[in-house]
Amino acid sequence: QVQLVESGGDSVQAGGSLRLSCRASGYTYNRGWMGWFRQAPGKEREGVAAIYSDIGSTYYADSVKDRFTISQDNAKNTLYLQMNSLKPEDTAMYYCAAAKRGVLATFLRGPYTNNYWGQGTQVTVSS
């Protein structure tokens, strides 16, 4: 059974930093796309960053480029999202996801039943 457990969400001031972690178990780690999504109240879930370490590829949404960095520690089966220069518009529930199969477009845009999901961790950025 695949389990993804996020941690690291918190409340911070604008301009601050946070690092989110996602510990994976029961998943063939680094053999597919893994990444972070976020969903703010009243908004659709959006893919923020993704990584496929076996092929050395990463993806970032335009809204987080140059501020967020996705990485993996394969020895710890853990995915990270380093978030710097946080803005109030980054406020959302952040979810870790791992693709069951398929290409990046499917991972990011769905159907979301194609992915395994964590329970989410809340990030709140105040101005």
Side-chain angles (χ1 to χ4, degrees):
Q1 182 180 355
V2 174
Q3 281 194 316
L4 303 173
V5 180
E6 303 100 330
S7 61
D10 205 344
S11 296
V12 297
Q13 296 275 340
S17 297
L18 284 174
R19 189 176 80 157
L20 305 184
S21 299
C22 172
R23 179 100 162 89
S25 60
Y27 181 72
T28 306
Y29 201 73
N30 81 9
R31 291 288 179 174
W33 287 101
M34 294 190 71
W36 294 91
F37 291 70
R38 66 185 180 187
Q39 188 165 20
K43 294 190 176 181
E44 292 187 355
R45 188 170 296 193
E46 65 166 334
V48 172
I51 187 168
Y52 193 153
S53 62
D54 234 25
I55 61 174
S57 289
T58 57
Y59 161 86
Y60 293 96
D62 288 343
S63 57
V64 306
K65 274 180 186 174
D66 301 323
R67 298 189 299 122
F68 291 10
T69 303
I70 190 169
S71 62
Q72 287 176 308
D73 184 332
N74 293 338
K76 295 181 179 179
N77 280 6
T78 301
L79 181 73
Y80 301 101
L81 185 68
Q82 178 66 43
M83 305 188 294
N84 299 328
S85 302
L86 283 161
K87 304 175 181 179
E89 51 263 45
D90 294 318
T91 295
M93 184 71 79
Y94 282 72
Y95 298 91
C96 174
K100 297 177 184 177
R101 67 189 69 82
V103 298
L104 178 62
T106 306
F107 177 66
L108 292 175
R109 300 185 187 93
Y112 287 147
T113 51
N114 183 65
N115 300 343
Y116 298 105
W117 295 94
Q119 81 288 350
T121 187
Q122 178 68 38
V123 172
T124 302
V125 185
S126 57
S127 56

